[in-house]
Amino acid sequence: MSKKVNVQFAGKPFKSDPAHKHVAILGQVSNLKRASWNDVRNHLEPKVSESVWKGAVASLNPAPTDTCALWMNGASVGAFSEKSSRHNMPSGAYHIPKLLRSCLLGKGDKVLVVVCKEEEMFPCGCAIARSFSLFSMRTDSGGATKPARNITVEFVVVGESTCNMVDVAACLQDTADSIQMAARIVDTPCNIMNTTQFVKEAEEVGLELGIKPTIISGEELNERGFGGIYGVGKAAVHPPALVVLSHCPPDATKTIAWCGKGIVYDTGGLSIKGKTTMPGMKRDCGGAAAILASFRSAVKRGFKQNLHAVLCLAENAVGPVATRPDDIHILYSGRSVEINNTDAEGRLVLGDGVAYASKDLKADIILDMATLTGAQGVSTGKYHAAVLTNDEIWEAASVAAGKASGDLAFPLVYCPELHFPEFNSAVADMKNSVADRSNAQSSCAGLFIGSHLMGAFNFSGTWVHVDMASPVHSGERATGYGVALLMVLFGELSSDKFLQLLAPSAALFESANCDGVHGCEGNSVA
């Protein structure tokens, strides 16, 4: 079941009355002071006068946020500080969810006006989207069906504006819908969002885009050599699966693959988690949810190169045929892995995913996204995903895209010659869990995935690993992390001019070591 909340972005100014729809006007305090009365009067008159508006804005003193009522419970203004350290987002959009809880009181339809600079519309719009969760199975007395709640968002741009607001609204709408989609999948428990249902989610996205997915599931995974995905998911009632959606424009010159970890539930397997650490493991599919949702938005906004979404789906369950510590699996790369920890399963499914992306799809640029390690939160915190890459230019670009999108990211140390020996095995090519958990554990886990690329650490293309175990959720709710990051990081390859404005330099894709062979499965129907 889903709680119906429609977040709608307006492409042009409109009029509303605070007596009928509660209006909240938000922005950094400096931007609010730059906005003119004509910018906001459509949503305040006749209940609020110009003098009341100016007096309220002058009274705001955010530390880091502050609010002021403008008219009863029908209109309010909320401000947040523009202070931002060099590893934070200049937009301050991370304050918006808190302000919305303060400003948008009660139920029913709302109007939200955001006052910001042009480049800040994207992170602010994404922050609004992740503030309204869709999934809920709470019951209400009476049994009556409640009407959908509508949140209508208008932007007031201060300073220079170069983009067409109708086009900006369309971009934000697609991105916001995908953020909410990713969050809904992550919030849905495994008794509903099992691997079979996740495959249906991918099929629905394919139907929307005119793309027929490639699906390899169950025993076929084992027969075709996907020992990682099969080994992790074989004990579950619902079969593991590799799902690939491919967008193949006729004039493409590069191939990009996004691979997502989709562990719909992680008990830890036979290395079982404890009763306090297992709750919340429905979120272990956050990487695949973000990849699927990002693929949807990227294609809808006109992605100009070959793009593949590779979803590695499994439930890490306990059962008679579950993988045991000491078992050895052969992954799709052909490399053997001795299992010394069944709770280090995400790297096994993604090892198969990146091997398929490099070997079969012949991708020039491979990005994998995963809720991979609890150590990520220790390494880079609750708000910044951890980025590991073989390309220094992409490392800097990922950080820049994080600041521009609102999905913050920060680098991990990339040093396979020092860290990969943690996986040494006497009987296989590698173990799946480190010997020393205090030695750059998140980096090591990422390197395990990279070791299954064609050529391993001599992979001829660009590889980016994003560990978003902590930012995938805030409290008990999923955030839809990853969609905004990918839309901006790969914005240069989009036909959308707003995404191009936000994206890192085009030189980013020139840095990728392309070998001139561009693979596409050709399963695009449209």
Side-chain angles (χ1 to χ4, degrees):
M1 295 175 63
S2 292
K3 179 174 59 178
K4 193 64 175 175
V5 182
N6 296 319
V7 177
Q8 302 167 328
F9 293 90
K12 56 184 179 180
F14 65 97
K15 187 172 179 59
S16 65
D17 187 341
H20 301 116
K21 288 184 182 179
H22 183 185
V23 59
I25 302 174
L26 306 181
Q28 291 181 338
V29 67
S30 60
N31 289 333
L32 290 170
K33 290 178 179 178
R34 293 176 65 186
S36 70
W37 170 243
N38 286 333
D39 290 328
V40 298
R41 66 190 302 171
N42 279 350
H43 302 290
L44 298 178
E45 288 183 329
K47 303 300 181 183
V48 180
S49 66
E50 181 176 5
S51 61
V52 170
W53 161 254
K54 290 184 176 179
V57 171
S59 72
L60 293 170
N61 185 27
T65 62
D66 194 13
T67 61
C68 182
L70 296 171
W71 179 74
M72 300 175 65
N73 288 328
S76 57
V77 59
F80 47 93
S81 171
E82 57 261 39
K83 293 181 180 178
S84 175
S85 64
R86 64 189 180 91
H87 292 149
N88 203 349
M89 60 188 87
S91 65
Y94 63 97
H95 291 302
I96 287 178
K98 177 182 177 181
L99 273 176
L100 292 180
R101 291 191 292 270
S102 302
C103 293
L104 295 184
L105 302 174
K107 300 179 180 180
D109 294 349
K110 310 289 183 183
V111 172
L112 183 58
V113 180
V114 181
V115 183
C116 64
K117 299 173 184 175
E118 182 178 66
E119 67 273 15
E120 295 171 348
M121 287 190 289
F122 189 84
C124 289
C126 293
I128 292 166
R130 67 175 61 98
S131 300
F132 296 97
S133 304
L134 297 185
F135 178 79
S136 176
M137 292 188 69
R138 298 182 67 174
T139 57
D140 296 304
S141 59
T145 302
K146 293 187 175 181
R149 183 185 182 198
N150 297 305
I151 310 296
T152 308
V153 184
E154 179 184 319
F155 283 94
V156 171
V157 178
V158 297
E160 184 180 3
S161 179
T162 60
C163 291
N164 182 301
M165 286 302 298
V166 173
D167 294 338
V168 170
C171 175
L172 286 173
Q173 194 68 60
D174 281 340
T175 306
D177 290 346
S178 290
I179 288 171
Q180 290 189 304
M181 171 191 166
R184 172 182 57 79
I185 291 173
V186 173
D187 275 337
T188 306
C190 185
N191 62 321
I192 301 171
M193 191 56 66
N194 49 54
T195 53
T196 303
Q197 181 58 39
F198 207 124
V199 171
K200 290 180 180 178
E201 293 279 349
E203 289 175 327
E204 288 176 8
V205 169
L207 185 63
E208 179 183 5
L209 301 176
I211 293 172
K212 182 178 174 60
T214 296
I215 302 170
I216 306 169
S217 65
E219 288 301 321
E220 186 182 358
L221 286 167
N222 189 36
E223 293 166 3
R224 294 181 59 172
F226 292 94
I229 301 174
Y230 179 78
V232 171
K234 64 180 179 177
V237 172
H238 293 273
L242 179 76
V243 180
V244 184
L245 295 102
S246 299
H247 165 71
C248 307
D251 298 325
T253 58
K254 291 183 174 64
T255 296
I256 293 94
W258 294 343
C259 305
K261 172 189 172 183
I263 302 297
V264 293
Y265 200 79
D266 182 18
T267 66
L270 293 183
S271 305
I272 197 163
K273 295 178 183 290
K275 64 180 181 180
T276 59
T277 55
M278 200 183 299
M281 284 300 105
K282 64 180 181 178
R283 304 186 192 109
D284 219 12
C285 64
I291 293 300
L292 176 61
S294 300
F295 179 85
R296 172 190 176 275
S297 286
V299 175
K300 285 173 73 71
R301 301 318 302 161
F303 204 82
K304 296 182 289 188
Q305 301 292 345
N306 294 330
L307 179 64
H308 304 280
V310 181
L311 311 178
C312 307
L313 308 178
E315 178 184 350
N316 191 19
V318 175
V321 298
T323 291
R324 298 165 289 261
D326 293 340
D327 283 359
I328 295 177
H329 293 316
I330 307 298
L331 270 59
Y332 194 66
S333 63
R335 306 192 74 185
S336 59
V337 179
E338 178 189 1
I339 307 301
N340 62 334
N341 180 3
T342 64
D343 196 20
E345 83 299 328
R347 63 200 66 180
L348 295 170
V349 301
L350 277 177
D352 276 353
V354 300
Y356 181 85
S358 58
K359 184 162 60 172
D360 291 55
L361 302 178
K362 298 190 169 44
D364 307 307
I365 302 166
I366 297 174
L367 180 144
D368 72 79
M369 184 172 284
T371 52
L372 199 68
T373 64
Q376 176 273 309
V378 177
S379 299
T380 59
K382 294 181 179 179
Y383 307 102
H384 294 71
V387 175
L388 183 75
T389 175
N390 64 350
D391 191 316
E392 189 174 15
I393 296 176
W394 276 81
E395 179 181 282
S398 298
V399 173
K403 293 178 184 179
S405 68
D407 279 350
L408 293 168
F410 196 77
L412 291 173
V413 59
Y414 177 84
C415 195
E417 63 273 22
L418 295 183
H419 294 145
F420 195 68
E422 291 290 343
F423 296 106
N424 284 347
S425 167
V427 293
D429 293 328
M430 67 191 77
K431 293 182 179 179
N432 77 313
S433 189
V434 294
D436 184 355
R437 295 176 68 85
S438 65
N439 185 20
Q441 189 179 160
S442 291
S443 291
C444 291
L447 290 174
F448 180 96
I449 297 168
S451 72
H452 293 277
L453 295 162
M454 295 302 293
F457 302 120
N458 293 317
F459 175 56
S460 61
T462 294
W463 169 62
V464 181
H465 162 68
V466 181
D467 188 343
M468 31 78 90
S470 287
V472 74
H473 72 104
S474 177
E476 295 188 25
R477 281 297 195 176
T479 60
Y481 182 96
V483 176
L485 177 67
L486 292 182
M487 294 298 286
V488 172
L489 182 58
F490 289 84
E492 181 63 32
L493 301 185
S494 174
S495 299
D496 189 291
K497 292 182 179 179
F498 187 47
L499 292 175
Q500 292 174 6
L501 172 71
L502 299 167
S505 168
L508 180 66
F509 297 96
E510 296 170 5
S511 77
N513 298 317
C514 303
D515 60 8
V517 179
H518 307 287
C520 197
E521 289 292 283
N523 57 0
S524 178
V525 176

